[in-house]
Amino acid sequence: IKTVTSDVSNLAVGDVVTYTVLVSNTGNVTLDNVSIVDTLTELDGVTNPQTLASIFDSSSMGSLEGILQVGEVATYTVSYTVTQSDIDNGGFANSVFASGDSPEDTKVNDTSDDNDDTDGNTEDDPTEITISEDPSIEVVKTVTSDVSNLAVGDVVTYTVLVSNTGNVTLDNVSIVDTLTELDGTSNPQTLASVFDSSSMGSLEGILQVGEVATYTVSYTVTQSDIDNGGFANSVFASGDSPEDTTVEDVSDDNDDVDGNTEDDPTEVAISEDPSIEVVKTVTSDISNLAVGDVVTYTVLVSNTGNVTLDNVSIVDTLTELDGTSNPQTLASVFDSASMGSLEGILQVGEVATYTVSYTVTQSDIDNGGFANSVFASGDSPENTTVEDVSDDNDDADGNTEDDPTEITISEDPSIEAVKIVDEIIDNGDGILGAGDEIIYNISVTNTGNVTLSNVVLLDLFEDFNGNQSTLTTEFVDASQSSVEGTLQVGEIATYTVSYILTQEDVDSGGIKNSITATGESPNETEVSDVSDDGDDADGNTEDDETETVIPDSATQGNPSLDVEKTAEIQDNGDGELGVGDTIIYTITIENVGNVTLSNLELEDIFQNIDNELLTLTSGPSFTNASLGSSEGTIQVNEIVTYEATYVLTQEDVDVGGVKNIVIATADTPGGEEVSDISDDGDDTDGNTLDDPTELIIDALFEISILKEVNEETPVVENNVIFTITIMNEGDVTANNIEVSEILPSGYEFVNAETTLGEYSESSGVWTIEALPVNAVEFLEIEVKVLGDGDYENIAEIASYEGGLDANENNNIASATTEPLCLTIYNEFSPNGDQVNDTFIIDCIERYPNNRLEVYNRWGTKVYEKQGYLNEWDGTSKADATIKEDDGLPVGTYYYILNLNDGTEPIKGWLYINR
C-alpha cells in the first residue's frame, strides 16, 4: 500500500510530496530478499516513468530490511519534488512493486494499492495526485515618454507588459494594440508593437509561469489629436494553456488613483490651451508734454496658445490715471501680422501690429497724465473665447501683470519753509535757562508751478535728549493776500510761535525746532518741506533745524555736586565713647549745578585712623530726596540724603578712632561725569575744603602688675610658687608686652606656667603679644628655696605698645621669702638610694666658719669637720677606735655644732638609719 502523507493541496513547483509505503507478509512463511521498486509516471500511468528512491524505516516485528515475518509490516518513506511539467500535465501517478522469497525460494510479489476504495477501484490502483490547471494572463500598458505640452509630430512611447499570472505555461501569446479618440470608439487604428524581451528568456509567444513579456509601442501626435483633446489606447492580450484553454485580458493603465481599478484604457489628454496677449507701448517722445502734443502708441496682439484664433479684435480705451474716470475710445489702425494672416486671424505664435494716436489736453496736465488700456479677444477652433487686457511691457515698475500704459505729466508742486529765532525774552536772571521765552518767526513759500491748498504747519519741538512736543503756530499774513491754507505760486505766508524753556530743556543742553509745511496740488499731490534755520553761514545750506544751545552753566557755575557727611554718636549705655557705641552717619548730596544729574552713585571709603579699610555695619542707604526724585536722580538744588551706621570695635579704640569719606559721582544729561568728595561740615577746624569725617577716640591706657608667693617662710630646699598677675585696666588693647621676671640667687627654677604668652627661663622674660581690655593673666613660677642668696623676687613691665600708661607706678612688683635656717634634720639614711643620704643642716652655708663634731653613745668621736656643708654620709672620719671610712652602725649619735659667730654651740641627738 502506498499513501500520500503530506499536504498536496495548492501544489507548486518545488513543493515536496511525501509517501508512506507499507509492505505486509500476508502468507504463512517468513519472506526474505524483500524489496520494492517505486515508479512515478504521468497520470496515464505509462508516460515519462521514473524510479523514486525509497528509505526503509522500520519493521513492525523488528526484522531487518529485506526480512518479513508472517504478519509483519515493513514501512518505507518516499519523497518527490514537484516540477512545472507535473503541473502542466495535471499531476502524476505512483506505483510500488514489492517482491520477496519464501523459505523454498518461491517468489511472491504485489503492485501497490492507494488504500482508497471509495473511488470504486478495490484492486491495486496507482497512488495519483491531481494538480488543477489555473491559466491566467494580464496586460498593462503605460506611457513611458513625456506627454506634457504635446505638439504635432511629438512621439509618444508606450511599454506593454504581458504577465503569465496562472500556474501553467502559456503558448500562442499575442497582443493587439488599438488607439482611438478619448471616447474609446472613434477613429480606431491598430498600432504596431515590438517584442522586446521576456523576464525568463522565453521566445516571443511563450510565457512561463510568472514570466513577463515586454513590448514597445510608439505613436506620432497629429494636429487632429490636439484638436480632439488627446487619444486613448488599449491592448488585447491572449494565450493558450497546455490543455488548450485560451486566456485573455484587456490592458489596464496601471493607475488606480484615478478611481478605476478595472481594466481601463491608457489615455493621453492634450489640452487645447488657447491664449491671447496684448501689449501697448508709447513710441513717441513724452518728456515735457504740453497741450496739443501728439502721443503715438504701438499695440501688439500675440497668439500665445496652441490653436489658431479667429474673430480677433481690439478695443482701445483712454482714461485718467485712476483707470476709470472720463473714459474714451481711441481709433486703432491694423498694420500687419507676422505670419501674413489677414486682420482678425492669428496663427499660433503670430503677432498682429496696430497703431493708435492721442492729442494731449489741458485737462490731462491738470490731472497729472492719463492711462491707456487695450482689450483684445479671439475664438479658438472649439469656439472658446480668449481675451487679454494690455500690459505696458514694463516689469521694472514691479507690476508683472496686465497694467495700463500710463503717461504721467509732472505738475511739479513745491513748498519751502524757514524758521528763525526772532527774540529771546529773559526771565530776569540774566542767564539763558528755565523760564526764558523764545519767539520764532516762520515763513512758508510756494516754490512750485501750481497753486497749493490745505497748507498746514506741524511745529515739532524737541530737546537735545529727543523728548518731543508739538507747538501751535499763529498765522500772520500772506504776501499775495491769500487766506490761511492757500498759497499761490511764489506767495509767502508768515507765522509766529513762542516757547518757554523748561528745566528738562536745560538738562538736555538745548532745544531744536523744525516746521514741516505741507500742501496739496490741484491733483491732490501732497508736497512738504522741513524748515531751514535761514543761516547758511554755518556751512549747512540744506534744511537744518533751528537750534538754541544752552551751555552747562548758571549762577552756581558748571554742573556740580556738594557732598557732606556728618557723624552722631549713639552711646551704648556706659556713658563713655568706646566699644559698642554706634556712629550714625548722615550723608547729604546737593546738586549745586544747573542741570539735573542722573546715575548718582556713592563710594564710601571707611577706615580707621591707621588707614586700614573697614566695613560699615549698614549703608549707605538712600533715605529721601528733597524734591521727590527717585534714587539715582538729583534735580537742580535738590538735596539727597543717605544714612550709614557703624558700631565701634576694640580695634577702632586701640588705633584711636575712625575716619570716613564719600565720593559721589553722577552724569550730566550730556554724559559728562561730575563728582565731589565729602566734607565733614565743620569749618571750625580750620579746614574749609573737603576733609574726612573723623572720630578721634582718646582712650585710657593702663596696665599694672602684682606679685605674690604662696609661702613667705619656706623651709630651705622646699619649693614655693611665685604668681605674677598682669592686668589691662584701660580701654585700649596693650600689645607686645615684656615682663622681666629674673629669679634672684636664693632660688632655683623648677617650672613655669602662664595663662597667656610665653616665659623664657633663660632670659627671665614673660612676653605677651596682646592683652585685651579688662584682661587678667597669670604667670606662675615654681622654684626651690636655696639655703643662701637673695630672696627678693622682683617682676617689672619692661616694655609695651598701645599708648602712654596712665600710671607707671604699678608696673613693678616684688615678693620676698624668709627661709627657715639652721633647721637640723636629726635623722638620715646613708644607704646609697640618693634620698636623705647625708646629714642636712639648713643654711649651714651661711656659716663658713662652723665646726661639726659627732659622738657615738659611748662618747667616742666618729666625725668632725671644719666648714661643714651637709656632706656627711655616716662614715667615721675621726677617732681610731673605729676604722676610718667604715659606715657607722644604725643607732643614735650626739652632735655639737659650733658656728663660731659668738653664739653658743648647738647640741643634739641624731639617728642613723640604714
Side-chain angles (χ1 to χ4, degrees):
I1 295 173
K2 180 172 186 178
T3 57
V4 179
T5 54
S6 59
D7 182 11
V8 293
S9 60
N10 301 314
L11 285 177
V13 175
D15 289 347
V16 176
V17 178
T18 306
Y19 300 88
T20 296
V21 179
L22 301 177
V23 181
S24 302
N25 183 346
T26 57
N28 64 350
V29 293
T30 300
L31 299 177
D32 58 7
N33 296 321
V34 177
S35 64
I36 66 171
V37 177
D38 191 310
T39 302
L40 181 137
T41 66
E42 292 183 9
L43 287 179
D44 59 9
V46 295
T47 308
N48 300 322
Q50 54 180 306
T51 301
L52 303 183
S54 61
I55 298 174
F56 174 76
D57 289 336
S58 62
S59 186
S60 60
M61 295 180 181
S63 296
L64 297 175
E65 183 179 4
I67 304 296
L68 272 181
Q69 299 177 53
V70 175
E72 189 172 25
V73 180
T75 302
Y76 299 81
T77 298
V78 179
S79 298
Y80 177 67
T81 302
V82 178
T83 67
Q84 184 62 51
S85 175
D86 298 327
I87 299 174
D88 290 345
N89 290 317
F92 43 88
N94 196 265
S95 291
V96 173
F97 178 81
S99 64
D101 296 335
S102 72
E104 296 181 1
D105 291 328
T106 300
K107 285 192 175 290
V108 291
N109 55 63
D110 186 45
T111 299
S112 63
D113 184 70
D114 62 358
N115 205 31
D116 179 16
D117 293 338
T118 61
D119 58 2
N121 189 352
T122 59
E123 300 299 324
D124 295 337
D125 51 344
T127 303
E128 294 183 347
I129 293 179
T130 301
I131 303 176
S132 300
E133 176 183 84
D134 185 19
S136 175
I137 196 169
E138 185 179 274
V139 60
V140 174
K141 181 171 185 179
T142 56
V143 179
T144 54
S145 59
D146 183 9
V147 294
S148 60
N149 303 313
L150 285 177
V152 175
D154 288 346
V155 175
V156 177
T157 304
Y158 300 89
T159 294
V160 180
L161 301 177
V162 181
S163 302
N164 182 344
T165 54
N167 69 340
V168 291
T169 303
L170 298 177
D171 58 5
N172 298 321
V173 175
S174 64
I175 66 171
V176 178
D177 192 309
T178 303
L179 181 137
T180 67
E181 292 182 9
L182 286 179
D183 60 9
T185 59
S186 302
N187 302 320
Q189 54 182 306
T190 301
L191 302 183
S193 60
V194 178
F195 174 77
D196 289 336
S197 61
S198 186
S199 61
M200 296 181 182
S202 296
L203 298 177
E204 182 177 5
I206 303 297
L207 272 182
Q208 299 178 57
V209 174
E211 189 169 27
V212 180
T214 303
Y215 300 81
T216 299
V217 179
S218 298
Y219 177 69
T220 302
V221 178
T222 67
Q223 184 61 53
S224 175
D225 297 324
I226 298 175
D227 293 342
N228 290 317
F231 42 89
N233 197 260
S234 290
V235 173
F236 177 82
S238 64
D240 296 333
S241 75
E243 296 181 3
D244 292 329
T245 300
T246 299
V247 290
E248 55 191 30
D249 186 46
V250 177
S251 65
D252 185 70
D253 62 357
N254 204 33
D255 178 15
D256 292 339
V257 298
D258 60 2
N260 189 352
T261 59
E262 301 298 325
D263 295 336
D264 49 342
T266 304
E267 296 181 348
V268 176
I270 304 176
S271 300
E272 173 182 73
D273 195 21
S275 176
I276 194 170
E277 185 178 275
V278 58
V279 174
K280 181 172 185 179
T281 57
V282 178
T283 53
S284 59
D285 183 9
I286 56 173
S287 60
N288 302 314
L289 285 177
V291 175
D293 288 347
V294 176
V295 177
T296 305
Y297 300 89
T298 294
V299 179
L300 302 177
V301 182
S302 304
N303 182 346
T304 54
N306 65 347
V307 292
T308 300
L309 298 177
D310 58 6
N311 298 321
V312 176
S313 64
I314 67 172
V315 177
D316 191 311
T317 303
L318 181 137
T319 65
E320 291 183 9
L321 287 178
D322 61 10
T324 58
S325 303
N326 303 319
Q328 54 182 304
T329 301
L330 303 184
S332 60
V333 177
F334 174 76
D335 291 337
S336 63
S338 60
M339 296 180 182
S341 296
L342 298 176
E343 183 177 3
I345 303 296
L346 272 180
Q347 300 176 55
V348 175
E350 189 169 30
V351 180
T353 303
Y354 301 78
T355 298
V356 179
S357 298
Y358 177 69
T359 302
V360 178
T361 67
Q362 183 60 53
S363 175
D364 298 326
I365 298 174
D366 292 342
N367 291 319
F370 42 88
N372 196 260
S373 290
V374 172
F375 177 81
S377 65
D379 297 333
S380 74
E382 295 183 1
N383 292 322
T384 299
T385 299
V386 291
E387 55 193 28
D388 187 45
V389 176
S390 64
D391 186 69
D392 62 357
N393 204 34
D394 179 16
D395 292 338
D397 60 3
N399 189 352
T400 59
E401 302 297 324
D402 296 336
D403 49 340
T405 303
E406 295 182 348
I407 293 179
T408 302
I409 303 175
S410 300
E411 64 180 6
D412 196 23
S414 177
I415 195 170
E416 185 177 280
V418 174
K419 180 172 185 178
I420 60 174
V421 176
D422 188 48
E423 181 182 8
I424 298 178
I425 301 175
D426 186 70
N427 65 356
D429 62 4
I431 300 169
L432 180 60
D436 293 348
E437 183 179 10
I438 302 176
I439 298 175
Y440 296 93
N441 179 274
I442 303 161
S443 61
V444 181
T445 305
N446 182 346
T447 55
N449 65 344
V450 291
T451 300
L452 299 176
S453 60
N454 297 324
V455 176
V456 294
L457 273 62
L458 174 63
D459 193 319
L460 188 62
F461 181 83
E462 183 179 308
D463 65 23
F464 282 5
N465 283 336
N467 299 310
Q468 294 183 341
S469 59
T470 303
L471 302 183
T472 302
T473 59
E474 181 181 349
F475 176 74
V476 178
D477 57 28
S479 61
Q480 297 180 27
S481 302
S482 294
V483 296
E484 184 178 3
T486 300
L487 269 182
Q488 301 177 52
V489 175
E491 189 171 26
I492 300 173
T494 303
Y495 301 78
T496 186
V497 67
S498 66
Y499 178 73
I500 297 176
L501 289 171
T502 67
Q503 183 61 53
E504 288 76 11
D505 302 328
V506 177
D507 290 345
S508 72
I511 57 174
K512 51 189 176 181
N513 193 260
S514 291
I515 293 288
T516 301
T518 60
E520 293 180 357
S521 73
N523 289 333
E524 297 183 349
T525 300
E526 183 178 271
V527 291
S528 65
D529 184 51
V530 177
S531 64
D532 186 69
D533 62 358
D535 179 16
D536 293 338
D538 59 3
N540 189 352
T541 59
E542 302 297 324
D543 296 335
D544 51 343
E545 295 170 307
T546 305
E547 293 187 348
T548 300
V549 178
I550 305 173
D552 283 342
S553 61
T555 54
Q556 298 92 335
N558 290 329
S560 59
L561 294 169
D562 184 34
V563 184
E564 183 177 289
K565 183 166 188 177
T566 58
E568 178 184 347
I569 305 301
Q570 188 177 73
D571 188 69
N572 64 357
D574 63 3
E576 296 181 359
L577 177 61
V579 177
D581 291 346
T582 300
I583 308 173
I584 301 175
Y585 289 101
T586 300
I587 305 158
T588 58
I589 305 166
E590 183 177 2
N591 184 346
V592 294
N594 71 327
V595 293
T596 302
L597 300 175
S598 61
N599 299 323
L600 177 64
E601 294 182 353
L602 273 64
E603 180 184 4
D604 195 302
I605 303 174
F606 188 70
Q607 301 170 301
N608 63 23
I609 295 302
D610 285 346
N611 295 322
E612 295 176 345
L613 289 176
L614 304 174
T615 301
L616 288 167
T617 304
S618 66
S621 301
F622 175 77
T623 303
N624 61 69
S626 61
L627 299 179
S629 294
S630 59
E631 184 176 3
T633 300
I634 182 167
Q635 302 177 53
V636 174
N637 298 323
E638 187 171 29
I639 296 175
V640 175
T641 304
Y642 289 77
E643 188 173 280
T645 63
Y646 181 71
V647 178
L648 287 171
T649 67
Q650 185 62 56
E651 289 77 8
D652 304 327
V653 176
D654 291 346
V655 298
V658 294
K659 58 184 178 180
N660 192 254
I661 63 169
V662 170
I663 302 174
T665 60
D667 296 334
T668 69
E672 175 189 354
E673 184 177 272
V674 295
S675 64
D676 186 50
I677 300 174
S678 63
D679 185 71
D680 62 358
D682 179 17
D683 293 338
T684 61
D685 58 3
N687 189 353
T688 58
L689 299 181
D690 296 335
D691 51 342
T693 303
E694 293 184 338
L695 178 65
I696 304 300
I697 303 173
D698 187 10
L700 174 68
F701 184 90
E702 169 59 17
I703 55 176
S704 62
I705 194 169
L706 294 175
K707 189 164 190 179
E708 300 173 301
V709 65
N710 66 333
E711 178 63 60
E712 292 183 355
T713 57
V715 175
V716 173
E717 296 297 323
N718 282 358
N719 291 354
V720 298
I721 297 174
F722 288 101
T723 300
I724 300 94
T725 304
I726 188 167
M727 297 168 287
N728 186 344
E729 301 173 290
D731 299 323
V732 180
T733 301
N735 298 307
N736 298 323
I737 301 169
E738 290 188 355
V739 177
S740 176
E741 169 56 31
I742 300 175
L743 291 176
S745 60
Y747 306 104
E748 180 182 304
F749 178 82
V750 177
N751 62 58
E753 291 185 3
T754 178
T755 59
L756 182 68
E758 294 181 353
Y759 175 74
S760 172
E761 174 191 356
S762 60
S763 65
V765 175
W766 177 21
T767 58
I768 300 174
E769 186 175 338
L771 185 63
V773 173
N774 298 322
V776 178
E777 303 295 340
F778 303 95
L779 168 64
E780 289 186 349
I781 299 179
E782 184 177 357
V783 299
K784 183 171 73 172
V785 180
L786 303 179
D788 186 33
D790 183 5
Y791 295 105
E792 183 180 13
N793 190 349
I794 300 173
E796 180 180 7
I797 301 176
S799 63
Y800 54 85
E801 294 177 2
L804 296 176
D805 198 348
N807 181 12
E808 292 187 349
N809 294 329
N810 55 15
N811 288 5
I812 188 169
S814 66
T816 303
T817 62
E818 290 290 338
L820 296 176
C821 287
L822 296 180
T823 299
I824 299 174
Y825 298 91
N826 56 6
E827 181 178 355
F828 68 102
S829 56
N831 56 9
D833 63 359
Q834 308 300 319
V835 178
N836 198 26
D837 279 343
T838 61
F839 178 45
I840 301 299
I841 302 172
D842 286 342
C843 303
I844 193 64
E845 61 267 27
R846 296 185 184 182
Y847 306 95
N849 295 322
N850 72 80
R851 180 177 181 78
L852 175 65
E853 295 178 357
V854 181
Y855 299 87
N856 63 17
R857 57 183 177 175
W858 295 282
T860 302
K861 185 187 293 183
V862 294
Y863 181 78
E864 67 177 340
K865 178 69 183 289
Q866 183 71 33
Y868 179 68
L869 289 177
N870 295 330
E871 67 268 39
W872 184 47
D873 59 0
T875 302
S876 176
K877 296 289 185 182
D879 203 313
T881 57
I882 298 175
K883 188 178 179 180
E884 192 172 347
D885 295 332
D886 283 349
L888 296 175
V890 174
T892 301
Y893 296 85
Y894 182 75
Y895 66 84
I896 298 173
L897 175 64
N898 189 350
L899 299 177
N900 292 318
D901 62 351
T903 62
E904 291 293 324
I906 301 171
K907 302 176 182 179
W909 295 93
L910 65 88
Y911 184 77
I912 295 176
N913 185 7
R914 295 187 182 274

